[in-house]
Structure formats: structure tokens, C-alpha cells
Amino acid sequence: MTPKVGVLALQGDFREHLAVLAGLGAEAVPVRRARELEQVQGLVIPGGESTVMDKLSRAFGLREPLRERIADGMPVYGTCAGLIMLSDRVLDALPDQQTLGGLDVTVRRNAFGNQLDSFETDLDVDLLDGPPVHAAFIRAPIVEAVGPGAETVAALEDGRVVAVRQGNLLGTSFHPEITGETRFHEHFLSLL
Amino acid sequence: MTDTLAPSTASGSADSSGPGTGTARVKRGLAEMLKGGVIMDVVTVEQAKIAEDAGAVAVMALERVPADIRAQGGVARMSDPDLIAGIVDAVSIPVMAKARIGHFVEAQVLQHLGVDYIDESEVLSPADYVNHIDKWKFTAPFVCGATNLGEALRRITEGAAMIRSKGEAGTGDVSEATKHIRTIKGEINALKAKSPDELYVAAKELQAPYELVAEVARLGKLPVVLFTAGGVATPADAAMMMQLGADGVFVGSGIFKSGDPAKRAAAIVKATTFFDDPEEIANASRGLGEAMVGINVADVPAPHRLADRGW
């Protein structure tokens, strides 16, 4: 049976994720409500503004259902803001900003600086077969500390961690969904 | 994402950062991340914080909102660097700021100040009535206004990484925003229906490069994000723009010229996310206090219409 997966569609580049997942043969649907979350077997949290996703997920009663599904082991893949949402600890957050948590890591928002420091580069990722990943970092976060529960998946040449996983959770600082890279999404679908 | 017409890196910029920066992909990519969001005009640090707390996806830092520019008249220019730098320091979301059409030195200054997006804006008085800024030269991305598809494609050809339909800023009257987003969407649909041999004449009529016209016909959309702007004042206005196919909305005077800016800002954010759900739009619209008073575009004499600036 075709797996049914969701993309959190409160704000951000959720259409790009929906297109990648559909291209891989998954049935991919936008998720903005708790009842839509109940219908999916896995979830992607897209790039966007983590402050906005946090506020809207609380305002529309999604936060607790999301936390319960993550605790139950639902596969979740977060890119950029999605990685922030999955992290247990955030630096340079708004005073009242909350995350969903699940990844035992500390991330720093906008860790590279402002948009002038956004960049593209190639990354070696042991988790994936094939050539290096071409990665776009856009006002991206960095994983500053990886706790004992989590595992580094990719780092820049200088050692700064930009992809992590823990159980069924995967997070990347960068955006495979806008560079034509599908292997992270394939890996996510393999967890279902 | 396609990079037709897109040089791989910005060149000639004194502020150019490390390798791989300033590419068309990261410039257009930031706009992709703003989709489904609301970008709010702010004139003080306090307003910027209110906007961020209300769920703005970015703020536009300026000295006067368009309604005041319109009321006070005179030449409108780039804002004081102290004001812009103060807002850049105060919030964690992206900060945009406006340069005059064609004023490449104002744009250089804004890039130097570290703004995340430069708006080459008709809301300010144009500095050049012939040329727009060569936006490929900058590491910072640009958003530009457009009233129709040809104008949008000319701006993209010059390097714009994001387009906003213009509307009529500072009026609180959404009718021009409606007209412009419908025009752009309609012209894209017309292109999609054309056979390949008809696209050459279409390019001539749109006064845009053939390759870009062919790309839009193939994609069925612009190769960059399309927001709408100019006259959005209520949650229902924002939701209507989204239903008409905008990727997100700019709200200028509509928030901080209203009775309860924090509440109205949060309401417009909610209505933009749930733009297709009348129940949520109704909930968001309750008890917001007074909307900005506004002026009907029909009452604005033609020489004072901002949307006519730019070509």
C-alpha cells in the first residue's frame, strides 16, 4: 500500500516537500489540523520561520498531538526550521518560543548570520549512498551540541554539525527539497 | 527550482561573503521559506517586536508607512541607517528594507547594513525613471513590485529573487491588489495555453526574454515566489489574496494604522495560513477593533498613484 505522509503546512516551503514526496510515490498531504495529523503515518516539517510554526501550532491545537505522535515513534523529518522544531534545546530563540522536541540536541537559530551568509556547498553523508549532497543553507541553524541520545549524520568541513538523527527522527540544517536532492526523503519513507 | 538566466554567484559586490553565497538559489530560496506568511511594515523597534510576536514571517523596516508617505507628500527616500540597524538587531526574523527604484547606492547601503532582503519599491520616490537596479550585482536578494506579467519578468531578468504584486500602497483599499494578482495569474494561464511557436510573439509582447517566457509557460508559474501587497487591511483581505494564488502577503499601513495592531497582526497571520477555511477566517476576524480608515483608490488622483511608478 502507498504510505500516506503529511507535510506540516502552517507556513514555509511545504509545497516543495509535497512535490518531492509525491515524486517518490508517496501519498503526501498538507497537515494544518489535528484531524489531518491523525491520517498520516509520517510527517515532514518544512523550512520556514520556526517562531511562526511554533505560534500557529499552539494556536490551532496541534502542539500536543504532534508531541504525542513524536513520542509514539512516528517518523518525522525536519529541514531548517523543521530541525529547530524537533530539537530539545534552542539558542537565540524568542523568549517564549517552544519546540516540539524529540532530538537530544541543542541548535542555534540563524547560526551563520543573516541572508548575506546563506550559501551552497557539497556535503558527505555516510547515511546515504551515492555522490555528496549538494546542500543549500538559508539563514540556517547549526547543531551546537549533540546529546547522548542523538547521532551526527553530517557535518561541515570545519566540524560544525548540520544533520542529526535519533530513532525515527531526522533533522537537517539545509534544504534538500530545493536542490533536487531526494535521498533524505527516501530515507524518511524507508522508516515508515 | 530552475536557474535560467541566473548567474551562479553575485559579482562586483564589496560586501560579498564566503564561497557559495549570493547564488540565485539561496536568494530565491529565502523567499520560498517565507511562503504562507505575512510580512509587516514597521517603523520602530517596538513595532518590529510586536510584529515578530504576532507571527510575522519577516518585517519591512521603514521610516513612514505608505499611508503617511501619501499624507505627508514630498520625496520619500531610504530610511535612516540607525533605524534599520536597530530593527535588524531587535528581531530574529528576516528584515527587509526599501531602496528607491534605480537607486543602486541606497541598495549598497542596505546590503552593508545586513538586511536580508532589499525592496526596490515604488512606495518611495523613484531615483531613475529609465533604469531599475542591476540586482545580479548584489549578494542580498531583491523583491520588486509588478502590476502585470511583463513587468514581473523584466524585474526577474534584472535579478529580482521575489515578486510582489503592487496594489495601491497606503490606501487600505484592496481593489488594486486584486487587479494586479488576477492580471499576473491570468497572463500566466494564457501563456500556459500557448503552443511553443506562439511563445516568441508572447515574449515580444511581454517585453521579456524568450527563455524566461518559455520557462513560465512550462512551469505554469513564475520561477520566483509571488507575494501580494498594497491595500491589504483585514484577515479576509489576506485570505482572498491567498485564494487568488498569492504565495503570501505584505501588510503595510493596515496593521499599525489600526485600532489594535497586535491583535490584528496575529489575526491576519492566522487567516493567511487558513485562507481556504471560512470558519477560521471568521474566528480570526472577531473583535479586532477599528481597521485603518483608508481611502478609495478611485479618489486618489492618477498622478498620486504609486503603482504607476516602475515599468
Side-chain angles (χ1 to χ4, degrees):
Chain A
M1 208 183 104
T2 311
K4 185 168 179 176
V5 293
V7 180
L8 192 66
L10 295 171
Q11 189 273 317
D13 72 334
F14 50 87
R15 279 205 302 268
E16 283 64 31
H17 281 286
L18 289 167
V20 173
L21 292 166
L24 293 172
E27 183 188 354
V29 296
V31 168
R32 291 179 297 177
R33 302 172 175 86
R35 66 171 187 271
E36 292 161 350
L37 180 63
E38 289 167 13
Q39 310 286 317
V40 300
Q41 297 162 258
L43 185 74
V44 171
I45 306 180
E49 274 303 319
S50 60
T51 55
V52 178
M53 290 184 202
D54 168 39
K55 260 171 234 306
L56 289 171
S57 65
R58 285 193 264 165
F60 292 99
L62 258 178
R63 178 178 160 78
E64 287 314 314
L66 281 167
R67 284 171 59 84
E68 283 167 24
R69 290 297 301 277
I70 291 170
D72 288 346
M74 173 176 67
V76 186
Y77 173 34
T79 62
C80 198
L83 165 64
I84 294 170
M85 292 297 286
L86 287 175
S87 298
D88 285 346
R89 297 167 295 277
V90 189
L91 303 173
D92 292 341
L94 286 189
D96 67 336
Q97 186 173 351
Q98 298 176 13
T99 68
L100 302 168
L103 288 170
D104 180 13
V105 299
T106 304
V107 295
R108 184 180 295 280
R109 288 179 66 213
N110 303 332
F112 294 93
N114 60 30
Q115 172 64 13
L116 298 180
D117 299 305
S118 293
F119 66 104
E120 300 178 53
T121 193
D122 288 328
L123 281 179
D124 287 318
V125 183
D126 291 340
L127 182 67
L128 308 175
D129 294 330
V133 168
H134 188 68
F137 293 83
I138 299 172
R139 286 175 50 96
I142 280 179
V143 179
E144 290 211 339
V146 181
E151 172 191 356
T152 298
V153 168
L156 296 170
E157 278 183 7
D158 61 13
R160 289 183 288 179
V161 177
V162 292
V164 289
R165 68 169 170 168
Q166 179 170 354
N168 276 342
L169 305 180
L170 174 67
T172 60
S173 298
F174 49 90
H175 296 278
E177 74 277 12
I178 67 165
T179 56
E181 171 61 63
T182 62
R183 288 171 289 172
F184 285 99
H185 292 81
E186 287 171 45
H187 178 80
F188 159 72
L189 290 172
S190 77
L191 300 172
L192 297 174
Chain B
M1 293 289 291
T2 51
D3 289 344
T4 306
L5 293 168
S8 59
T9 53
S11 59
S13 160
D15 288 322
S16 196
S17 307
T21 59
T23 63
R25 181 175 272 140
V26 299
K27 287 174 169 179
R28 294 176 180 186
L30 177 56
E32 301 286 348
M33 303 311 148
L34 303 178
K35 285 189 302 194
V38 183
I39 300 168
M40 302 181 192
D41 277 5
V42 297
V43 300
T44 64
V45 165
E46 290 69 34
Q47 287 187 359
K49 287 182 170 168
I50 290 170
E52 183 177 44
D53 281 339
V57 77
V59 291
M60 178 74 70
L62 67 179
E63 257 167 12
R64 295 180 286 171
V65 293
D68 290 334
I69 291 173
R70 186 179 287 290
Q72 292 162 14
V75 175
R77 310 178 178 90
M78 178 186 78
S79 298
D80 187 317
D82 276 345
L83 173 93
I84 294 166
I87 290 172
V88 167
D89 286 344
V91 297
S92 66
I93 55 177
V95 176
M96 302 184 167
K98 291 182 193 290
R100 282 179 268 177
I101 289 173
H103 207 314
F104 51 87
V105 174
E106 285 188 349
Q108 290 165 2
V109 169
L110 292 175
Q111 173 166 289
H112 177 76
L113 292 173
V115 304
D116 296 290
Y117 242 95
I118 298 169
D119 184 1
E120 187 181 17
S121 178
E122 72 283 359
V123 168
L124 305 183
S125 308
D128 186 333
Y129 280 92
V130 179
N131 305 292
H132 282 68
I133 296 170
D134 177 359
K135 294 165 273 286
W136 295 117
K137 285 188 173 173
F138 290 79
T139 307
F142 280 74
V143 56
C144 289
T147 59
N148 57 53
L149 180 60
E151 200 176 351
L153 297 181
R154 288 191 290 279
R155 296 297 85 76
I156 293 167
T157 304
E158 295 156 0
M162 178 180 186
I163 295 292
R164 56 176 173 74
S165 61
K166 284 181 180 172
E168 189 57 38
T171 60
D173 179 346
V174 82
S175 62
E176 289 294 292
T178 306
K179 182 166 92 184
H180 298 155
I181 191 80
R182 277 194 189 277
T183 300
I184 294 169
K185 286 284 177 181
E187 289 177 310
I188 291 173
N189 285 334
L191 268 193
K192 267 165 70 182
K194 288 188 188 297
S195 61
D197 60 341
E198 294 171 327
L199 293 177
Y200 297 98
V201 172
K204 188 187 85 176
E205 289 169 353
L206 288 165
Q207 298 176 51
Y210 167 79
E211 292 74 15
L212 188 54
V213 170
E215 183 180 6
V216 171
R218 180 168 51 79
L219 296 173
K221 65 182 198 62
L222 295 179
V224 302
V225 165
L226 172 63
F227 270 47
T228 192
V232 174
T234 69
D237 287 349
M240 179 169 157
M241 294 301 114
M242 296 298 287
Q243 287 198 26
L244 288 172
D247 290 322
V249 295
F250 284 84
V251 185
S253 317
I255 289 172
F256 289 98
K257 286 287 170 188
S258 74
D260 187 342
K263 195 168 179 186
R264 181 167 295 268
I268 292 176
V269 169
K270 288 177 183 172
T272 301
T273 290
F274 287 92
F275 65 90
D276 54 355
D277 185 332
E279 184 183 350
E280 295 296 356
I281 300 165
N283 288 340
S285 303
R286 288 176 211 276
L288 295 183
E290 278 185 48
M292 72 179 281
V293 176
I295 41 177
N296 292 304
V297 171
D299 297 337
V300 179
H304 298 290
R305 293 188 189 169
L306 305 175
D308 296 338
R309 295 171 172 174
W311 38 89

